[in-house]
Amino acid sequence: MSKTIIISNRLPVQLEIHNKEIKSTPSIGGLATGMKSVHSGSNDLWIGWSGLTAENIPTELEKDIDAALKEHGCSKVNLTESEVDGFYFGFSNRTIWPLFHYFLEYAEFELTNWEIYKAVNQKFADEIISKADDDDIIWVHDYQLMLVPQMVKNKKPDISIGFFLHIPFPSYEIFRTLPWREEILLGLLGSDLIGFHTYDYERHFLSSVRRLLRLEVSFNEIHIDNRIVKVDSFPMGIDYKKFSEAGKANSLNTIENQSDFQQRLNAHKESTKNAKLILSIDRLDYSKGIAKRLKAFEYFLNKHPKYKEKVRLIILAVPSRSNVPQYQLLKKEIDELVGRINGEFSTVNWTPIWYFYRSMPFENLIDLYTSCDIAWLTPIRDGMNLVAKEYIATRTDKSGVLILSEMAGSANEMNESLLINPNNFEQTSEALCKAINMPLEEQQERNDILQKRLERYNVEKWANDFINSLKNQKEAGNIYVSRKLSTKLLDSVQNNYTNAKKRLLFIDYDGTLAAFKNDPQKAKPDQELYTLLDEISSQPNTHMYLISGRDKETFTKWFLHKKYNMIVEHGVWISKAGEEFRMLENVKRDWMEKIYPVLESFVDRTPGSFIEEKNYSMAWHYRKTDPDFGQKRATELNTVLTSLIANDDLSVLNGNKVVEIKSSNVNKGRAAMRVFNDDTYDFVFAIGDDWTDEFMFQELPETAITIKVGLQKTAAKYYVDGTKEVRKLLNHFIN
Ligand code: ADP
Ligand code: G6P
């Protein structure tokens, strides 16, 4: 039976050793708390770091540690102290974390840390490779392990690999500053499916892939090494049932069963009946905006002094990554801010802020969620923010107000909360006033909608959606395209070729015989190609046609002296055995005057693009433009052209980074069929890479051998990988 293997740096439990006793505590953070609910443990495996360094694990406890982890369905990757330093405190949390959260000034680019990051990623990958069977599903998590998918794919090309990023993916302008940006993208692209919390992160990633790797992206699919990688957004949910039931149980608890913490909260509420409790919970992290929140609170108390003694802010900050200097500085800043604000505003009966710097057991977390009237969560950047969702889920009577930063991924799904920009103190302060005074009915209306949404798209649904999408992707990869021309198939094609009495071959040029160049004139034939084509065309009973969208001048220059048969400009012109080109189709060119100025205006506004004028068609090329921008302009040009040519007998072809306008009655399929109908052939072969070649694939008889170059949707029967493979294949016809 196939199993799912989850891989993340953090396991759901953290181990500590005290007096030779192993102690396990639940991990904090969205990834671990969320995934814990979907990890069944029985058949699945979770691989990660135990929290202990190799130096801290006494040999005699090794087995006990493995057993302790096994109880939770986990298995460990051992990391040494220096690996933890370079990989976790170093590259993960001093380079990627600040960069991906837009704290560019905190990002350090240390080569040594990058080297250790690579080595540790390889350690994780090796662990997976040793534990995975081919039909297993591998689900890699988060920014600490971005190279793992490719490392696993290299060794196990057929295994299904999914990757989910729990933090934001930054815009291209930020991401491009990373010295190892290409390696990171290629690492991720070892996956079959890459998931993000929001569409924004997804589109940032696709934009970086397009611009930095110059890979073909169609909608949300990336073509790489003849594979298709799907990219999609899956907003992570919470274990709704767990939180809502805990909220219910809390409200039904008898006084004697309540925790001490709850009793203290109750006593406070009793003593200040009209006061509101405001809750702020985060890991102590600069991305969470805790310092800014404190300053906004100070601003609010100064601006609205009537709320003094009427509100209390409970700040719960969980210690996190305390070896990283920025976190140490932040701790100091927060300590000072809390001291200053409490010093400034406290009265004999009131301290405005209660501050806890520690982790809390689940029970106390629920005490806080259910006791506080307002949750105030204002990260400066946050991949998702599950605390916001957890707060709403525990509010059994649907009371409570959530003030949430629009910079949190969860803001996309929580429109009914009060959304604010954390940098805008005025707006934040108004939101606090609104929250304090919001009528219960309005609170309930808002929370009712939120709760229904959170209940439906819970963490289980999220995980199932991801895994199902991964499975579909794997299956789709197989039926999406034609069959790869295997050695066995190639043998049979070669056999048919050898035994045929009369052969007809249509061979496209650009992207088939020659690779694309930024300047089309540079893609001229080399000696090896001439030799190959000479040999094929000189075989008896063989009619070989080069069939191209190129202009006849270029092909005259390159090939006429070789006496090859040629069809150019998509079928307007034909030349046989060295004759001058003659027209195959009667086409007009009076429309060109009208179209030229339009194309010119696109060239003016799109740096890097240019017009190619042919005798009976015109093409606007955008291969050298910024890929995103060029694509947008191509869409715009299509719209403009559609209305402009409505009454002419013209069509617009969208080729490979080119938009071409030509007469509707001209295409490669029609031209190929005219040649085919002139004689009787028992071997018909067509090969091409482009959209324009599809006309041949569709129109030639069913018995024809049709081959697409590259892995794309096609009407051709087979595909080969690229121009190199095309030459190899054609060599089979002469040996
Ligand atoms: P992040 O993943 O950046 O830490 P999230 O809000 O997405 O932020 O996730 C935090 C998770 O950690 C939540 O599931 C929350 O319940 C848990 N958590 C936060 N604070 C505490 C705490 N003081 N004690 C225990 N668990 C906490
Ligand atoms: C965020 C990250 C997680 C990480 C968690 C806690 O949620 O996305 O990958 O585990 O913070 O951080 P830590 O550094 O303690 O693992």
Side-chain angles (χ1 to χ4, degrees):
M1 192 178 157
S2 84
K3 58 185 179 298
T4 300
I5 304 185
I6 299 170
I7 305 98
S8 63
N9 174 51
R10 229 6 120 191
L11 284 173
V13 286
Q14 291 301 286
L15 301 185
E16 283 168 82
I17 300 176
H18 290 295
N19 302 328
K20 305 223 162 157
E21 290 268 313
I22 303 166
K23 202 181 142 226
S24 80
T25 47
S27 299
I28 310 291
L31 189 170
T33 55
M35 284 305 294
K36 190 159 64 181
S37 306
V38 286
H39 172 57
S40 69
S42 55
N43 184 41
D44 298 347
L45 177 65
W46 190 333
I47 298 176
W49 172 49
S50 66
L52 295 166
T53 58
E55 290 84 345
N56 285 338
I57 301 180
T59 327
E60 67 272 20
L61 283 187
E62 184 91 32
K63 275 204 181 118
D64 296 342
I65 285 175
D66 287 343
L69 290 176
K70 202 164 177 208
E71 259 179 48
H72 297 273
C74 295
S75 154
K76 71 175 187 323
V77 174
N78 264 340
L79 299 182
T80 64
E81 225 161 80
S82 69
E83 282 173 334
V84 172
D85 266 352
F87 154 74
Y88 172 72
F89 290 115
F91 195 76
S92 299
N93 289 319
R94 286 160 90 151
T95 307
I96 297 294
W97 180 271
L99 193 66
F100 280 34
H101 286 86
Y102 295 74
F103 285 82
L104 199 52
E105 68 280 21
Y106 292 172
E108 295 171 15
F109 302 124
E110 288 285 337
L111 184 61
T112 340
N113 287 345
W114 163 245
E115 294 296 342
I116 301 177
Y117 181 83
K118 277 197 289 186
V120 172
N121 268 246
Q122 189 63 58
K123 245 186 173 178
F124 276 83
D126 291 345
E127 195 65 25
I128 299 166
I129 293 161
S130 75
K131 295 223 158 57
D133 297 316
D134 279 346
D135 57 348
D136 287 347
I137 287 179
I138 311 296
W139 193 1
V140 186
H141 288 264
D142 231 359
Y143 64 101
Q144 302 91 346
L145 303 177
M146 290 191 283
L147 302 178
V148 168
Q150 192 192 29
M151 290 167 166
V152 176
K153 192 60 120 205
N154 284 346
K155 286 279 157 54
K156 288 193 169 271
D158 293 327
I159 208 162
S160 273
I161 307 175
F163 180 92
F164 193 86
L165 188 74
H166 291 257
I167 65 173
F169 194 93
S171 84
Y172 162 73
E173 286 300 338
I174 297 282
F175 183 70
R176 71 194 296 206
T177 62
L178 182 68
W180 308 281
R181 58 203 185 176
E182 282 89 2
E183 287 94 325
I184 295 285
L185 291 179
L186 288 171
L188 290 169
L189 289 176
S191 322
D192 299 294
L193 172 67
I194 304 177
F196 297 94
H197 283 307
T198 72
Y199 173 66
D200 279 335
Y201 309 156
E202 173 190 336
R203 106 189 137 68
H204 289 158
F205 173 72
L206 289 175
S207 159
S208 283
V209 166
R210 239 187 251 128
R211 287 159 179 231
L212 294 168
L213 300 181
R214 294 241 150 207
L215 286 176
E216 202 50 55
V217 177
S218 45
F219 299 104
N220 60 346
E221 292 182 338
I222 301 165
H223 295 244
I224 180 171
D225 301 337
N226 297 312
R227 292 188 302 116
I228 294 167
V229 180
K230 189 174 165 189
V231 181
D232 212 341
S233 56
F234 305 85
M236 188 179 192
I238 54 165
D239 187 342
Y240 185 85
K241 207 164 149 216
K242 176 172 149 192
F243 283 93
S244 83
E245 280 176 2
K248 218 173 283 164
N250 180 288
S251 63
L252 297 175
N253 241 351
T254 52
I255 295 177
E256 53 283 6
N257 280 335
Q258 285 174 342
S259 67
D260 289 348
F261 190 57
Q262 181 69 64
Q263 289 179 11
R264 276 204 291 140
L265 287 169
N266 289 347
H268 164 75
K269 287 178 92 144
E270 266 310 302
S271 64
T272 48
K273 277 221 156 55
N274 290 325
K276 300 274 184 187
L277 278 183
I278 305 173
L279 177 65
S280 142
I281 297 191
D282 320 81
R283 273 182 310 102
L284 192 117
D285 194 302
Y286 47 80
S287 64
K288 302 286 185 183
I290 308 172
K292 220 165 227 172
R293 203 173 310 157
L294 285 166
K295 288 179 194 158
F297 189 56
E298 187 179 30
Y299 180 91
F300 162 78
L301 289 177
N302 277 324
K303 179 142 192 231
H304 300 284
K306 66 177 179 193
Y307 291 119
K308 285 180 187 169
E309 303 199 346
K310 292 283 180 289
V311 292
R312 170 163 286 148
L313 176 60
I314 304 184
I315 296 246
L316 175 58
V318 189
S320 186
R321 307 170 196 166
S322 40
N323 277 19
V324 178
Q326 296 300 348
Y327 289 73
Q328 294 162 357
L329 289 174
L330 179 68
K331 164 80 173 51
K332 199 160 162 267
E333 187 186 2
I334 291 173
D335 287 350
E336 282 167 13
L337 274 170
V338 170
R340 187 177 89 202
I341 298 170
N342 275 345
E344 192 181 339
F345 294 99
S346 287
T347 61
V348 180
N349 304 315
W350 179 67
T351 11
I353 302 170
W354 278 352
Y355 170 42
F356 302 92
Y357 174 62
R358 66 173 101 118
S359 182
M360 279 203 182
F362 182 72
E363 189 192 12
N364 294 148
L365 207 61
I366 300 297
D367 294 339
L368 279 172
Y369 285 153
T370 51
S371 305
C372 292
D373 309 282
I374 297 165
W376 189 23
L377 304 167
T378 56
I380 296 168
R381 282 287 156 182
D382 204 340
M384 175 47 74
N385 199 297
L386 295 180
V387 170
K389 296 185 171 182
E390 292 170 1
Y391 172 73
I392 294 294
T394 56
R395 308 296 301 185
T396 318
D397 63 358
K398 300 191 195 325
S399 68
V401 184
L402 171 64
I403 304 176
L404 180 62
S405 161
E406 60 192 45
M407 312 298 172
S410 51
N412 289 302
E413 308 153 76
M414 304 190 88
N415 243 318
E416 292 73 16
S417 61
L418 300 182
L419 294 180
I420 53 111
N421 171 355
N423 302 308
N424 186 341
F425 283 10
E426 190 52 37
Q427 186 196 27
T428 307
S429 157
E430 289 321 300
L432 280 171
C433 291
K434 187 166 178 186
I436 293 166
N437 296 302
M438 189 182 285
L440 179 63
E441 213 173 66
E442 185 181 340
Q443 297 176 24
Q444 289 173 327
E445 265 168 34
R446 287 169 183 262
N447 292 340
D448 186 49
I449 306 173
L450 284 170
Q451 287 187 345
K452 284 201 177 110
R453 199 176 298 135
L454 294 177
E455 185 169 16
R456 198 179 51 246
Y457 204 82
N458 58 25
V459 72
E460 200 184 334
K461 176 96 178 58
W462 166 82
N464 283 338
D465 270 8
F466 184 91
I467 294 291
N468 287 336
S469 178
L470 178 57
K471 285 181 183 160
N472 290 340
Q473 177 58 16
K474 201 70 193 160
E475 280 162 27
N478 297 332
I479 54 164
Y480 180 31
V481 287
S482 47
R483 283 161 70 194
K484 189 162 186 165
L485 194 67
S486 62
T487 324
K488 203 166 144 213
L489 280 165
L490 184 55
D491 285 349
S492 111
V493 171
Q494 188 179 3
N495 229 359
N496 291 348
Y497 183 90
T498 316
N499 296 329
K501 293 202 180 65
K502 198 162 225 178
R503 310 157 182 140
L504 177 60
L505 282 79
F506 294 105
I507 309 174
D508 167 55
Y509 186 74
D510 291 284
T512 303
L513 289 177
F516 285 106
K517 294 271 163 36
N518 278 343
D519 175 357
Q521 287 306 317
K522 295 225 166 96
K524 57 180 181 218
D526 50 82
Q527 193 46 53
E528 181 199 84
L529 183 60
Y530 279 133
T531 312
L532 174 66
L533 296 177
D534 283 348
E535 295 211 29
I536 297 178
S537 62
S538 63
Q539 290 189 8
N541 299 322
T542 306
H543 293 173
M544 181 195 84
Y545 279 81
L546 297 184
I547 185 162
S548 168
R550 290 259 186 179
D551 62 284
K552 75 176 175 15
E553 284 68 29
T554 306
F555 264 37
T556 299
K557 195 166 70 196
W558 288 353
F559 299 116
L560 197 71
H561 64 288
K562 287 286 184 183
K563 300 197 165 74
Y564 304 150
N565 302 316
M566 294 183 276
I567 294 171
V568 293
E569 296 192 26
H570 298 288
V572 177
W573 303 95
I574 188 164
S575 157
K576 289 192 191 171
E579 292 167 0
E580 284 300 311
F581 274 101
R582 65 179 167 82
M583 271 185 122
L584 191 60
E585 292 287 348
N586 209 353
V587 283
K588 296 194 200 126
R589 38 177 306 150
D590 50 357
W591 53 271
M592 288 183 163
E593 268 174 40
K594 186 167 72 175
I595 302 292
Y596 194 83
V598 177
L599 297 188
E600 242 179 352
S601 82
F602 273 77
V603 170
D604 291 343
R605 293 179 299 128
T606 320
S609 72
F610 64 92
I611 301 171
E612 186 189 0
E613 269 187 277
K614 303 184 195 176
N615 291 300
Y616 290 93
S617 73
M618 272 177 167
W620 179 74
H621 288 267
Y622 59 99
R623 179 167 305 279
K624 281 194 285 186
T625 65
D626 171 280
D628 278 342
F629 186 51
Q631 195 54 53
K632 269 200 198 99
R633 280 279 192 255
T635 312
E636 190 187 333
L637 178 59
N638 270 280
T639 318
V640 173
L641 289 173
T642 313
S643 56
L644 206 67
I645 63 172
N647 298 320
D648 300 295
D649 202 8
L650 296 174
S651 47
V652 179
L653 295 185
N654 282 290
N656 195 329
K657 306 278 184 215
V658 56
V659 178
E660 184 153 6
I661 307 104
K662 58 169 208 48
S663 286
S664 296
N665 62 349
V666 175
N667 69 51
K668 287 184 180 178
R670 196 176 147 118
M673 282 310 285
R674 287 183 63 160
V675 171
F676 171 77
N677 286 329
D678 275 353
D679 209 333
T680 313
Y681 298 98
D682 56 352
F683 179 90
V684 180
F685 173 94
I687 187 163
D689 69 304
D690 199 334
W691 194 81
T692 59
D693 298 308
E694 293 294 318
F695 287 109
M696 293 196 284
F697 303 151
Q698 279 160 11
E699 296 203 20
L700 285 170
E702 186 44 35
T703 47
I705 292 156
T706 49
I707 301 185
K708 180 87 169 178
V709 183
L711 184 75
Q712 285 169 55
K713 265 188 187 138
T714 181
K717 284 187 191 141
Y718 311 112
Y719 81 89
V720 293
D721 291 341
T723 50
K724 269 196 208 127
E725 286 71 21
V726 173
R727 292 194 186 192
K728 249 191 241 159
L729 157 64
L730 293 178
N731 261 303
H732 278 79
F733 294 161
I734 54 177
N735 292 323

mmCIF file of all heavy atoms in Angstrom, residues 9-10 28-32 88 93 97 142-144 166-167 283 320-321, ligand 2:
data_model
loop_
_atom_site.group_PDB
_atom_site.id
_atom_site.type_symbol
_atom_site.label_atom_id
_atom_site.label_comp_id
_atom_site.label_asym_id
_atom_site.label_seq_id
_atom_site.Cartn_x
_atom_site.Cartn_y
_atom_site.Cartn_z
ATOM 1 N N ASN A 9 11.261 20.659 8.196
ATOM 2 C CA ASN A 9 12.350 20.802 9.149
ATOM 3 C C ASN A 9 11.849 20.470 10.548
ATOM 4 O O ASN A 9 12.409 19.665 11.265
ATOM 5 C CB ASN A 9 12.913 22.217 9.088
ATOM 6 C CG ASN A 9 13.947 22.450 10.150
ATOM 7 O OD1 ASN A 9 14.877 21.671 10.293
ATOM 8 N ND2 ASN A 9 13.757 23.487 10.942
ATOM 9 N N ARG A 10 10.761 21.117 10.954
ATOM 10 C CA ARG A 10 10.187 20.905 12.287
ATOM 11 C C ARG A 10 9.272 19.683 12.289
ATOM 12 O O ARG A 10 8.386 19.577 11.435
ATOM 13 C CB ARG A 10 9.327 22.105 12.545
ATOM 14 C CG ARG A 10 9.321 22.951 13.756
ATOM 15 C CD ARG A 10 10.171 22.893 14.848
ATOM 16 N NE ARG A 10 10.887 24.161 15.020
ATOM 17 C CZ ARG A 10 11.881 24.301 15.842
ATOM 18 N NH1 ARG A 10 12.329 23.280 16.535
ATOM 19 N NH2 ARG A 10 12.478 25.457 15.979
ATOM 20 N N ILE A 28 5.541 24.685 18.024
ATOM 21 C CA ILE A 28 4.731 25.875 17.753
ATOM 22 C C ILE A 28 4.937 26.257 16.290
ATOM 23 O O ILE A 28 5.952 25.929 15.708
ATOM 24 C CB ILE A 28 5.201 27.065 18.630
ATOM 25 C CG1 ILE A 28 5.296 26.649 20.086
ATOM 26 C CG2 ILE A 28 4.309 28.282 18.474
ATOM 27 C CD1 ILE A 28 4.001 26.365 20.743
ATOM 28 N N GLY A 29 4.007 26.977 15.755
ATOM 29 C CA GLY A 29 4.142 27.432 14.366
ATOM 30 C C GLY A 29 3.082 26.771 13.503
ATOM 31 O O GLY A 29 2.689 25.624 13.742
ATOM 32 N N GLY A 30 2.652 27.525 12.498
ATOM 33 C CA GLY A 30 1.529 27.100 11.660
ATOM 34 C C GLY A 30 1.739 25.761 10.995
ATOM 35 O O GLY A 30 0.834 24.926 10.958
ATOM 36 N N LEU A 31 2.951 25.528 10.477
ATOM 37 C CA LEU A 31 3.198 24.290 9.738
ATOM 38 C C LEU A 31 2.948 23.076 10.625
ATOM 39 O O LEU A 31 2.151 22.198 10.297
ATOM 40 C CB LEU A 31 4.635 24.304 9.242
ATOM 41 C CG LEU A 31 5.114 23.235 8.262
ATOM 42 C CD1 LEU A 31 6.482 23.613 7.739
ATOM 43 C CD2 LEU A 31 5.130 21.844 8.801
ATOM 44 N N ALA A 32 3.618 23.063 11.781
ATOM 45 C CA ALA A 32 3.541 21.889 12.658
ATOM 46 C C ALA A 32 2.135 21.716 13.233
ATOM 47 O O ALA A 32 1.577 20.612 13.210
ATOM 48 C CB ALA A 32 4.558 22.014 13.776
ATOM 49 N N TYR A 88 19.793 26.151 9.652
ATOM 50 C CA TYR A 88 18.554 26.642 10.274
ATOM 51 C C TYR A 88 18.681 28.100 10.714
ATOM 52 O O TYR A 88 17.974 28.983 10.216
ATOM 53 C CB TYR A 88 18.188 25.715 11.447
ATOM 54 C CG TYR A 88 17.036 26.229 12.287
ATOM 55 C CD1 TYR A 88 15.741 26.218 11.791
ATOM 56 C CD2 TYR A 88 17.247 26.713 13.575
ATOM 57 C CE1 TYR A 88 14.682 26.700 12.548
ATOM 58 C CE2 TYR A 88 16.194 27.193 14.345
ATOM 59 C CZ TYR A 88 14.917 27.185 13.820
ATOM 60 O OH TYR A 88 13.868 27.672 14.560
ATOM 61 N N ASN A 93 16.942 31.176 8.310
ATOM 62 C CA ASN A 93 16.347 32.261 9.089
ATOM 63 C C ASN A 93 17.100 33.585 9.057
ATOM 64 O O ASN A 93 16.623 34.570 9.635
ATOM 65 C CB ASN A 93 16.126 31.787 10.526
ATOM 66 C CG ASN A 93 14.997 30.770 10.560
ATOM 67 O OD1 ASN A 93 13.982 30.956 9.876
ATOM 68 N ND2 ASN A 93 15.167 29.685 11.290
ATOM 69 N N TRP A 97 14.091 33.700 5.271
ATOM 70 C CA TRP A 97 12.948 34.235 6.032
ATOM 71 C C TRP A 97 12.847 35.763 5.882
ATOM 72 O O TRP A 97 11.792 36.266 5.459
ATOM 73 C CB TRP A 97 13.028 33.815 7.508
ATOM 74 C CG TRP A 97 11.889 34.347 8.318
ATOM 75 C CD1 TRP A 97 11.834 35.546 8.963
ATOM 76 C CD2 TRP A 97 10.610 33.727 8.542
ATOM 77 N NE1 TRP A 97 10.611 35.712 9.578
ATOM 78 C CE2 TRP A 97 9.846 34.601 9.346
ATOM 79 C CE3 TRP A 97 10.041 32.513 8.153
ATOM 80 C CZ2 TRP A 97 8.539 34.314 9.761
ATOM 81 C CZ3 TRP A 97 8.746 32.220 8.570
ATOM 82 C CH2 TRP A 97 8.012 33.115 9.356
ATOM 83 N N ASP A 142 7.908 23.760 3.141
ATOM 84 C CA ASP A 142 8.464 25.044 3.556
ATOM 85 C C ASP A 142 9.882 25.377 3.121
ATOM 86 O O ASP A 142 10.622 24.569 2.598
ATOM 87 C CB ASP A 142 8.300 25.204 5.073
ATOM 88 C CG ASP A 142 7.657 26.559 5.390
ATOM 89 O OD1 ASP A 142 7.377 27.318 4.461
ATOM 90 O OD2 ASP A 142 7.444 26.863 6.581
ATOM 91 N N TYR A 143 10.228 26.636 3.474
ATOM 92 C CA TYR A 143 11.387 27.317 2.910
ATOM 93 C C TYR A 143 12.721 26.713 3.333
ATOM 94 O O TYR A 143 13.737 26.984 2.712
ATOM 95 C CB TYR A 143 11.340 28.798 3.308
ATOM 96 C CG TYR A 143 11.442 29.057 4.796
ATOM 97 C CD1 TYR A 143 12.641 29.471 5.362
ATOM 98 C CD2 TYR A 143 10.354 28.857 5.647
ATOM 99 C CE1 TYR A 143 12.746 29.705 6.727
ATOM 100 C CE2 TYR A 143 10.451 29.083 7.008
ATOM 101 C CZ TYR A 143 11.644 29.497 7.543
ATOM 102 O OH TYR A 143 11.752 29.708 8.886
ATOM 103 N N GLN A 144 12.729 25.910 4.384
ATOM 104 C CA GLN A 144 13.997 25.298 4.802
ATOM 105 C C GLN A 144 14.433 24.198 3.826
ATOM 106 O O GLN A 144 15.599 23.822 3.816
ATOM 107 C CB GLN A 144 13.858 24.681 6.204
ATOM 108 C CG GLN A 144 13.435 25.645 7.306
ATOM 109 C CD GLN A 144 11.915 25.699 7.475
ATOM 110 O OE1 GLN A 144 11.164 25.228 6.608
ATOM 111 N NE2 GLN A 144 11.433 26.268 8.579
ATOM 112 N N HIS A 166 4.921 27.636 3.145
ATOM 113 C CA HIS A 166 4.044 28.193 4.182
ATOM 114 C C HIS A 166 4.263 29.681 4.405
ATOM 115 O O HIS A 166 3.600 30.279 5.243
ATOM 116 C CB HIS A 166 4.252 27.428 5.496
ATOM 117 C CG HIS A 166 3.735 26.022 5.433
ATOM 118 N ND1 HIS A 166 2.547 25.633 6.012
ATOM 119 C CD2 HIS A 166 4.229 24.916 4.833
ATOM 120 C CE1 HIS A 166 2.344 24.352 5.782
ATOM 121 N NE2 HIS A 166 3.359 23.892 5.063
ATOM 122 N N ILE A 167 5.234 30.247 3.731
ATOM 123 C CA ILE A 167 5.496 31.679 3.907
ATOM 124 C C ILE A 167 5.232 32.382 2.567
ATOM 125 O O ILE A 167 5.024 31.714 1.562
ATOM 126 C CB ILE A 167 6.939 31.923 4.415
ATOM 127 C CG1 ILE A 167 7.983 31.490 3.379
ATOM 128 C CG2 ILE A 167 7.172 31.178 5.730
ATOM 129 C CD1 ILE A 167 9.421 31.862 3.772
ATOM 130 N N ARG A 283 4.357 34.211 17.450
ATOM 131 C CA ARG A 283 5.747 33.909 17.774
ATOM 132 C C ARG A 283 6.461 35.244 17.810
ATOM 133 O O ARG A 283 6.078 36.180 17.089
ATOM 134 C CB ARG A 283 6.401 33.059 16.675
ATOM 135 C CG ARG A 283 6.232 31.576 16.810
ATOM 136 C CD ARG A 283 6.961 30.824 15.708
ATOM 137 N NE ARG A 283 6.662 31.341 14.392
ATOM 138 C CZ ARG A 283 7.453 32.134 13.690
ATOM 139 N NH1 ARG A 283 8.635 32.483 14.167
ATOM 140 N NH2 ARG A 283 7.099 32.568 12.502
ATOM 141 N N SER A 320 11.144 32.414 19.909
ATOM 142 C CA SER A 320 11.406 31.820 18.601
ATOM 143 C C SER A 320 12.795 32.225 18.115
ATOM 144 O O SER A 320 13.182 33.384 18.265
ATOM 145 C CB SER A 320 10.333 32.321 17.634
ATOM 146 O OG SER A 320 10.425 31.701 16.394
ATOM 147 N N ARG A 321 13.530 31.295 17.550
ATOM 148 C CA ARG A 321 14.829 31.518 16.879
ATOM 149 C C ARG A 321 15.743 32.493 17.631
ATOM 150 O O ARG A 321 16.297 33.432 17.046
ATOM 151 C CB ARG A 321 14.580 32.051 15.462
ATOM 152 C CG ARG A 321 13.632 31.163 14.687
ATOM 153 C CD ARG A 321 13.162 31.720 13.404
ATOM 154 N NE ARG A 321 11.991 30.954 12.948
ATOM 155 C CZ ARG A 321 11.164 31.330 11.999
ATOM 156 N NH1 ARG A 321 11.363 32.468 11.368
ATOM 157 N NH2 ARG A 321 10.131 30.584 11.662
HETATM 158 C C1 G6P B 2 6.571 29.384 10.428
HETATM 159 C C2 G6P B 2 7.285 28.595 9.359
HETATM 160 C C3 G6P B 2 7.505 27.154 9.806
HETATM 161 C C4 G6P B 2 8.191 27.121 11.142
HETATM 162 C C5 G6P B 2 7.413 27.967 12.148
HETATM 163 C C6 G6P B 2 8.085 28.016 13.493
HETATM 164 O O1 G6P B 2 5.302 28.917 10.558
HETATM 165 O O2 G6P B 2 6.534 28.637 8.158
HETATM 166 O O3 G6P B 2 8.264 26.440 8.865
HETATM 167 O O4 G6P B 2 8.318 25.807 11.610
HETATM 168 O O5 G6P B 2 7.266 29.275 11.654
HETATM 169 O O6 G6P B 2 9.407 28.423 13.368
HETATM 170 P P1 G6P B 2 10.645 27.509 13.811
HETATM 171 O O7 G6P B 2 11.834 28.257 13.310
HETATM 172 O O8 G6P B 2 10.552 27.423 15.287
HETATM 173 O O9 G6P B 2 10.498 26.179 13.168
#
